[in-house]
Amino acid sequence: MKKKLMSVLLSGAMVLSLAACGSTSADTTTTSDTTTTSDTTAEATGSSIRLLNGKPEINDQMQALAAKYLEETGNTLIVETIGGDTNASDELKKMYQADNMPDIFVIEANQASNWEGMLADLAGEEWTNKTGFELVDSEMGTIGFPYTVEATALGYNADLLAKADIDPSTLTSPAAWTAAVEKLDSMKDELGITAVFGWCAEPANLGWSSGTHVFAQYLDAGLKQDDTTYIDLLNDGGQIDEKRMHDFAEFVGMMNQYSDPDLLVDGTYDNQVAGFAAGKYAFVTQGNWINGTVTSSADYSGFNMGFAPYAFEDGIDTIIAGPPSYWTVYSDGNVDGAKTFLQWVSDDSAQDILVNQAGLISPFNDCKYDAADPFYASIKGYMDAGKTSGWHTMLKKDGLQNETCQVFADYAQGKFDADSFTSTMAQVIKSYYAN
């Protein structure tokens, strides 16, 4: 198994996307910045483990987490944060070659097979009873610990919808969406908006958004968290459900029609998020990773936010929510020490730090802290109601998004109707899987 993994690392096939989903780059260039808890005053008398942190923006909070862990348990957590100029896959390759793998490291769901036989099975751990977001592999068992939740659907400006007397909870059918969109469009001057949707289908720099996150709605909108019907079909030779794809195409066509034309084809991620922050759009096609950018904008007026489903079929009332990545335990490392730490992370002291200091959304249903995220109340409402769908778009064949994003772009440019969008998408996907 080590030989298999080494060949993957050396070929560069395993690239960890360790930045937030809002990144405009597919690959993350990083460098290892290792700090430890050795300068704390508590005495380390117990287990010592190493964790590879993939979110450099929360390095300080992870160090606080390590200090708290030492204080409460006497166990040492050494946090090694990836950030800077070294590619993450190169860093792991170096660690592997030096027989220096961390005990806990980050993977995305579609990278699990690269680690076959090298990840500890975490089934039966107490924390698994407090979440539905653990990563389970049919052969390897429970291999992923969820440390945060991210969500994507149609983000909305709640204040604008209230002014238009539109209840976002009613947007669970194409007919309801059509009525709401037409009403908002007719009130653009009164509401002071440029367009109903802040939707950008530009493929070169925003292909990750259309080809992965918007396409994800076809795969999962309306499904239970563990329902893999359409990703399984996709991964079986690139098949699609043409009726569902056509319904999805009709919905995207509505977004095309009522989007800002200056943004739709030639816009940028920065334009899109800045426009939403300034109140130019009632809806935006992004996830809660935009919250910090929105709230820090000089044009942000303090409006409330939430998510509405891509209800391209009657009865769709879910948003996609779940971990963007997972902490996994290296089976040749300190497995017992890692398990002890992960259980502690799921409990109150650690959740206090990760939610209140790091600003993460907890995946654990007994967490008593509310994330400092303007989308949080909406996300939590869906989670509590069991109305979240999975991030199964991350399990599609790698690189498919670079093909499907062009189909979205051509549709936005008026080259397709819903019928031709559906047939072209079917052809493009089938061809990509065949190659």
Side-chain angles (χ1 to χ4, degrees):
M1 291 300 178
K2 283 191 174 184
K3 184 177 180 181
K4 174 184 176 182
L5 177 59
M6 198 64 230
S7 67
V8 172
L9 288 170
L10 289 170
S11 68
M14 184 182 146
V15 178
L16 296 178
S17 299
L18 297 176
C21 288
S23 171
T24 56
S25 173
D27 296 337
T28 305
T29 55
T30 58
T31 189
S32 180
D33 174 20
T34 305
T35 53
T36 74
T37 61
S38 60
D39 60 344
T40 60
T41 56
E43 182 180 356
T45 58
S47 173
S48 176
I49 60 169
R50 296 165 53 217
L51 181 147
L52 187 67
N53 169 39
K55 284 184 171 289
E57 67 273 18
I58 63 167
N59 176 66
D60 290 348
Q61 293 84 359
M62 288 298 295
Q63 301 305 327
L65 192 76
K68 191 69 172 178
Y69 187 54
L70 178 60
E71 175 191 332
E72 292 194 352
T73 70
N75 296 329
T76 300
L77 171 69
I78 301 170
V79 177
E80 304 175 11
T81 291
I82 299 294
D85 299 323
T86 303
N87 186 280
S89 62
D90 291 342
E91 191 64 29
L92 277 174
K93 181 177 68 175
K94 292 174 185 176
M95 290 179 171
Y96 185 90
Q97 290 173 326
D99 195 21
N100 189 36
M101 288 290 288
D103 300 293
I104 300 173
F105 59 96
V106 176
I107 68 167
E108 293 178 359
N110 63 349
Q111 297 165 342
S113 62
N114 295 330
W115 296 92
E116 184 179 353
M118 301 189 73
L119 301 178
D121 188 352
L122 307 175
E125 293 297 298
E126 183 182 341
W127 59 263
T128 62
N129 298 320
K130 305 193 298 181
T131 184
F133 290 112
E134 66 269 34
L135 177 60
V136 179
D137 181 86
S138 59
E139 296 183 1
M140 291 183 280
T142 302
I143 57 173
F145 177 92
Y147 59 90
T148 188
V149 169
E150 288 184 350
T152 186
L154 281 158
Y156 61 76
N157 180 324
D159 294 6
L160 285 175
L161 296 191
K163 288 178 183 178
D165 196 24
I166 293 171
D167 180 354
S169 70
T170 65
L171 300 178
T172 58
S173 71
W177 266 102
T178 298
V181 168
E182 290 178 350
K183 184 176 186 179
L184 287 165
D185 187 65
S186 71
M187 297 175 65
K188 283 193 299 185
D189 291 342
E190 180 182 344
L191 297 172
I193 62 175
T194 302
V196 177
F197 293 99
W199 152 233
C200 184
E202 190 280 322
N205 297 304
L206 264 173
W208 58 268
S209 178
S210 58
T212 294
H213 297 145
V214 177
F215 182 76
Q217 306 300 327
Y218 156 76
L219 292 173
D220 281 303
L223 304 188
K224 295 292 186 183
Q225 183 74 214
D226 60 353
D227 190 335
T228 60
T229 298
Y230 299 106
I231 186 62
D232 289 344
L233 191 64
L234 191 76
N235 286 334
D236 185 15
Q239 300 181 71
I240 66 167
D241 182 309
E242 294 201 4
K243 169 65 167 59
R244 182 174 169 90
M245 183 65 79
H246 190 274
D247 290 341
F248 174 66
E250 294 278 7
F251 193 93
V252 174
M254 177 186 67
M255 289 173 20
N256 290 342
Q257 180 179 354
Y258 292 98
S259 184
D260 180 354
D262 292 334
L263 177 70
L264 179 61
V265 176
D266 298 315
T268 67
Y269 174 79
D270 290 342
N271 297 153
Q272 183 185 33
V273 178
F276 181 68
K280 293 173 61 176
Y281 313 126
F283 298 98
V284 66
T285 58
Q286 289 294 342
N288 69 302
W289 50 84
I290 70 172
N291 73 80
T293 305
V294 171
T295 56
S296 63
S297 170
D299 295 322
Y300 174 58
S301 63
F303 60 82
N304 296 310
M305 304 174 213
F307 281 118
Y310 281 72
F312 53 86
E313 295 176 340
D314 288 345
I316 289 180
D317 59 357
T318 69
I319 64 170
I320 291 176
S325 56
Y326 302 84
W327 287 343
T328 59
V329 176
Y330 185 49
S331 59
D332 286 345
N334 184 353
V335 174
D336 289 340
K339 287 182 176 180
T340 298
F341 168 71
L342 293 180
Q343 179 58 46
W344 179 83
V345 169
S346 75
D347 294 332
D348 187 74
S349 293
Q351 290 300 298
D352 183 12
I353 293 172
L354 292 177
V355 175
N356 291 327
Q357 295 185 35
L360 303 183
I361 293 177
S362 175
F364 298 103
N365 53 34
D366 65 344
C367 179
K368 64 185 182 184
Y369 305 110
D370 294 338
D373 181 333
F375 288 107
Y376 174 71
S378 180
I379 296 171
K380 187 69 162 53
Y382 283 102
M383 291 171 63
D384 289 347
K387 293 180 182 290
T388 63
S389 301
W391 272 103
H392 294 122
T393 186
M394 306 308 293
L395 298 177
K396 65 187 181 301
K397 185 176 179 181
D398 187 41
L400 179 63
Q401 67 274 11
N402 299 327
E403 306 298 323
T404 56
C405 71
Q406 188 59 55
V407 184
F408 282 105
D410 289 343
Y411 193 18
Q413 292 171 6
K415 296 179 181 179
F416 298 143
D417 58 13
D419 290 341
S420 52
F421 174 90
T422 302
S423 60
T424 302
M425 191 67 82
Q427 293 167 4
V428 165
I429 293 172
K430 188 81 170 177
S431 175
Y432 189 77
Y433 271 82
N435 294 324

